[in-house]
Amino acid sequence: MAINTKMSEKLSMKNCSDLRLTTAAIAILALLVTAAYSQQQPCATASKFGPADQVGNVNYITPEKTLAAAKLVTKGKAYRLGIETNKNTPAFGTRTFAITVLQPGQAGGISLGPTKTTYNDDIIAGWVGIGSQIDGFGHAGIDGLYFNCNKAADFSMPDGLTKLGVENIPAIATRGILLDMAGYFNTDIVKEGTAFNRAEIEGAMKRQGIASIEKGDVVLFYSGWIKLLGKDNKRFITANPGLGREGARYLASMGVAMIGADTANFEVVPFENGAGIFEVHQILLALNGIHLLENMNTEEMARDRAWEFLFTLGPPRITGGVQAFANPIAIR
Amino acid sequence: MAINTKMSEKLSMKNCSDLRLTTAAIAILALLVTAAYSQQQPCATASKFGPADQVGNVNYITPEKTLAAAKLVTKGKAYRLGIETNKNTPAFGTRTFAITVLQPGQAGGISLGPTKTTYNDDIIAGWVGIGSQIDGFGHAGIDGLYFNCNKAADFSMPDGLTKLGVENIPAIATRGILLDMAGYFNTDIVKEGTAFNRAEIEGAMKRQGIASIEKGDVVLFYSGWIKLLGKDNKRFITANPGLGREGARYLASMGVAMIGADTANFEVVPFENGAGIFEVHQILLALNGIHLLENMNTEEMARDRAWEFLFTLGPPRITGGVQAFANPIAIR
Amino acid sequence: MAINTKMSEKLSMKNCSDLRLTTAAIAILALLVTAAYSQQQPCATASKFGPADQVGNVNYITPEKTLAAAKLVTKGKAYRLGIETNKNTPAFGTRTFAITVLQPGQAGGISLGPTKTTYNDDIIAGWVGIGSQIDGFGHAGIDGLYFNCNKAADFSMPDGLTKLGVENIPAIATRGILLDMAGYFNTDIVKEGTAFNRAEIEGAMKRQGIASIEKGDVVLFYSGWIKLLGKDNKRFITANPGLGREGARYLASMGVAMIGADTANFEVVPFENGAGIFEVHQILLALNGIHLLENMNTEEMARDRAWEFLFTLGPPRITGGVQAFANPIAIR
Amino acid sequence: MAINTKMSEKLSMKNCSDLRLTTAAIAILALLVTAAYSQQQPCATASKFGPADQVGNVNYITPEKTLAAAKLVTKGKAYRLGIETNKNTPAFGTRTFAITVLQPGQAGGISLGPTKTTYNDDIIAGWVGIGSQIDGFGHAGIDGLYFNCNKAADFSMPDGLTKLGVENIPAIATRGILLDMAGYFNTDIVKEGTAFNRAEIEGAMKRQGIASIEKGDVVLFYSGWIKLLGKDNKRFITANPGLGREGARYLASMGVAMIGADTANFEVVPFENGAGIFEVHQILLALNGIHLLENMNTEEMARDRAWEFLFTLGPPRITGGVQAFANPIAIR
């Protein structure tokens, strides 16, 4: 059996309103429950780009921005930032991945036609959140509320998101900045639990001679953590250094389009004292319309001191996708 | 039961060599069988980049090439070439696609932690050859022989290719050229079965003022066929205009890195008279080390007369993948 | 990002308890909220077989019961009750199914070893709730509460149920009864929306000469609806005749082990006036520990007037499965 | 690209016939090649039940047979023979399995309708050949030739077998026999590589007082190997005792319908001296129309000395399936 129905009332509200209290108590109750649940205009996650917006700060990537970014290409060196996705790629608890290669229509060893055509095809069955990925705005929310006032019950369908899907992400070609946190901390691999906040971000910028972070930029953090990949997968997936809450709000205040890291969790884990569970995800995805990029391999870029570059990204356009495999190309 | 074993001898050879013929007959037999089966040095699909090569003409994309291509960006307009992949995307007979969205660890409607984090994840189960894609060199072969002398029995494993997988494709940032075949034929949608060969290619170049096609270029054909997508999916998938054999060899002779089309079959279908089944795939992938791009949506580029541009591509790095979802970004 | 955390408090309760009311109001509030949420000992779905029970009325199938049922075999005719599961089997909205057949290790047309072994393998990717199936106790609950006081948050994990999974179902060999509702209503196909309640059940029993329904029996309803399968799949899946709430409670009162139907929805659809959404599922699975069998093809049995029989079932033991493909064998 | 085409000529035959030999040599060649390749009437795998047959010796299970088998039920004890299938079940190299549990339409923690219905559904993605399974006749062949003269190229399609699929298996209710090979060898776990041939089969029968094996019987071997499951999975999957070639032919000569074992490989591994790769599979499935049952947990039956019983099986009817999850119910 199965049915898709929207309940306009939440159980909790119903129970509360069922209470036989005094009139005054009921009035107070109603007020508070309303404050907790109802959504003001605009709601907490409203986009500054209007109620129809589904891409957030990506709107800041204008032709002028792209044109200026293209001028950062001075050496012609292109980097692929994606790591490999397979069954051994470190992934969260229940995430699994399988690829199957087959030869359709060739059972019995036949080939096709006069030029003896043979071919392989492939099927994948697995979680998109394995390997290098972009988190779409349907990924993290606050009690069922996602970016731009979208509620889970309205757009999160079992066969795909009906809003905020990754297929909406336009062509990305903008200025990219690499913040070398390993360099800033003068270490090979920044220790897990190290939060990158405003002081660290500004410190790294100063050290690298990056004058400013601007609207529509993509900011990538290099922490050296990616060195652990394939060497200590358990440590790699369990924790990592990464962006803290203040740092996230600071970057958001500058209007960056996307933020990436060379880690699987993206944000600092263990979480900062007092922080919620993946609260930095909430701050960026839900509250600020900023996409996240995980497992970005910036190792070679860090070695090359490639601090500013043209960043391009075209994730697969799986309709209704929450996340997408992502292999950005950075060019300088 | 199951077993993975490599047979060094093919059944046919064994039977032939078992024959109790006269010495002379055996000698002739051996000669002919050898000619048919054994692989000379180099074999028919040997790479000009050496026996270890897995990426073919992508090797032509040098830093100089990338740097020159970046200078083609003069307007800052970026195009995403990917179409959407979903269960309704027109696909070959047995290819299917499904996405599932779920909320791990939130059964019972719970949220996580003090900031009430909720989240969606997604799983895909489907054939990679649906929607916009790049064909890797493991896709098409000649009687089991694939690019650079790789035999199916040696690298085509059920859980992924052990050579020629799409994870090997490096960062692509090179010059792109759009050949407007609809413009050349002065029509909206070029008729199915229309082959693009040397005359048509040169004619389109001349009409568009494209002086030359060079080593490492990516050539995209716009035929208007993509207009049928979502409107007449049956016609879209069954046939299309596209590259012919002579045209394929002509482009190969110029050393292009990749060739794309706004169709699902890439090459002309119905096939040219006397042509093999997907022989153009064989010519490009197996014999010349040139990747193919299918379902490239160049509609807007054609409208903008964006003939030359910086072409960038970072396909998902699924280990051992035959094909890959592809959403290239073209910038001019 | 991802995390599995159990929230001990529900948001709604927290908000309610945060209210700054008068002491009296708080006291009343606390009382009512507690009544609504907390679970008494035993809870509403407690098993009569104790807190560790995971199989409900299947416990009634004792060796004596099995032995007696075996004596119902008087003709030696065995029936398979399963319909086929494939991509065309009518299924609810987002449910999909795909099978892939491949020849592992045989790419290039090789066979294995001296006897030239070749083989096929198959992979399935799809929802278990397609075709003939048994609903396990993890399928339907009441606001997150499932059979025997199990709460979703405690056992419903994304990679399988940790309790109530179908792997727990023991060998089923018991008395089966077929209630011929088409015969009772003197029609070929009972009309959709026709509820089978106590009067209809007793009427059918009387008509067929079935003296009693007993503990541990499996009761199958034949409505003729299965005749629509493959002929009018849309009608087949959208609605059907079936068990009503009173009928469900009546059968539960007799201690039946399982109930089946020749329909996809099992219970009457459209639902009875005033009924909840799939409330009969809730009554049987959650409140009474009775498994459901859907899409049971009893067409031939009805034709043969096979009213009483030995019913056997061994569903695949997928660990943590919610449902299971089911192809019971009835023998008389 | 993709196409399904049947090649009427095999490459090897074509090369052989192209040879320009002397007339005599050609004649000999033709004769030998013909002998090797062509299929006489009837072909080597022809069914004794006629050219349309798809179920082989299952045809021997008549109502008389079923009726007689039902009389073997004297205690009312039912056994489930299936082991669990999950990601940890020992399986061959590339076989994988994943289950996903989700709550469709309940994102945001909503429940459905006035009775607050909540529900779980499950999806599986994996190889059918994991855990307890029945091998259909499409599983193993001889150089592309499968049971009853079916050639792979004709029925082995990528989206399911068009003949010999497991959906064809009728209701199975027949006499089952358990051969206690551990008892025969007076050991707990029979050593890997131990072949069960005629002497061992007759010895076990004599020891257990089983007078005869008859047409339509299902014969299960208990070797104690199942004790290793979950304890030494690597040893469990790598090798095992099991049926040898002579034993297979002996059981085939008696017309058994199915043969099972408490091992994953079914037949003896390492293979007997001079045996082909899984040649016993070929002998039974392809040459004799006898289904195989793998990973049959007969541990409790052996302990109970349940030597003869009613054997019932209804595998899931996945259309075009090669194998099927199988959880037979044995009753005595």
Side-chain angles (χ1 to χ4, degrees), chain D residues 36-47:
Chain D
Y37 280 96
S38 74
Q39 282 155 29
Q40 298 77 27
Q41 291 304 327
C43 83
T45 63
S47 169

Side-chain angles (χ1 to χ4, degrees), chain D residues 4-15:
Chain D
N4 288 328
T5 297
K6 285 184 222 156
M7 286 278 290
S8 59
E9 290 187 315
K10 295 192 75 157
L11 167 63
S12 50
M13 296 187 65
K14 193 163 186 316
N15 283 335

